[in-house]
Amino acid sequence: TLAQKMPDTSAAHVSYGPVLARALLKLSSRCMERLEFRPLHATLCALAASLCAAPTAAEVLKRGGLTHLLAMLRESEWSQMNSKIAAMEALLQLCSHAVGMEALLGWEAGATLPTQGSGYEVVLSIAIDGSPGHRRLEQAAVCLLRRAGFYLALSKLDAACTKISVNEEA
């Protein structure tokens, strides 16, 4: 395999990931403007693959990647379904990191519930409304909602444990 032949591949992927993600975000924006669907789909797949490292996820969030992905998921006029599925898969990968999940939930410092107008609502509407004939998009939305629910539960558990430890110290 490639990983066996080139053991430094993973290290290079982590160190160059943010640079690659910035370039992919720019390219996907350009593809959206020009309505170039095949390159857009390929770019989103590459973006999802590049989001395996937390620094890359943080860079994508800093550059407005979450808003970009959510805009593609909201779009109903020009967007092709395979581009929406690729955007959802990139969102799934982004939300596999704590910073991505918290951004999806729209959390500010100290918040423990999704905020109004968050990406969570966009994903929830996809899961509720469905996509007739496009089961993969629905399944990805449900998977992301399950992850968000698990993250919410962990957050509440963490808050309760912190509260107990503070009370024990007092």
Side-chain angles (χ1 to χ4, degrees):
T1 65
L2 180 63
Q4 292 170 338
K5 292 177 186 174
M6 300 182 70
D8 295 334
T9 304
S10 295
H13 191 67
V14 170
S15 63
Y16 294 116
V19 175
L20 177 62
R22 277 195 303 269
L24 290 169
L25 281 173
K26 287 180 187 176
L27 180 59
S28 66
S29 293
R30 190 169 61 214
C31 289
M32 282 176 63
E33 290 170 5
R34 296 178 182 175
L35 299 177
E36 296 172 339
F37 298 115
R38 284 188 182 171
L40 177 61
H41 178 22
T43 302
L44 291 171
C45 290
L47 181 63
S50 74
L51 287 169
C52 66
T56 305
E59 181 67 23
V60 166
L61 289 173
K62 186 168 55 171
R63 301 289 179 174
L66 179 64
T67 306
H68 181 69
L69 292 172
L70 292 174
M72 291 199 323
L73 291 172
R74 283 187 194 113
E75 183 59 51
S76 59
E77 287 186 25
W78 61 264
S79 182
Q80 289 188 336
M81 194 52 67
N82 67 352
S83 296
K84 281 189 174 191
I85 292 169
M88 182 63 81
E89 289 172 356
L91 186 60
L92 269 168
Q93 190 64 30
L94 178 65
C95 292
S96 66
H97 304 285
V99 293
M101 184 58 76
E102 290 177 5
L104 179 79
L105 295 171
W107 286 1
E108 308 270 329
T112 57
L113 294 173
T115 59
Q116 187 74 14
S118 66
Y120 181 86
E121 289 182 352
V122 173
V123 176
L124 184 62
S125 70
I126 290 171
I128 290 172
D129 297 340
S131 297
H134 302 287
R135 188 107 173 107
R136 282 180 55 202
L137 185 64
E138 292 175 28
Q139 288 173 339
V142 169
C143 178
L144 189 52
L145 291 174
R146 285 183 183 148
R147 287 184 190 179
F150 182 69
Y151 195 85
L152 284 166
L154 284 178
S155 173
K156 289 177 183 179
L157 177 64
D158 183 52
C161 290
T162 302
K163 187 176 181 179
I164 290 170
S165 69
V166 167
N167 288 340
E168 286 178 357
E169 290 175 3

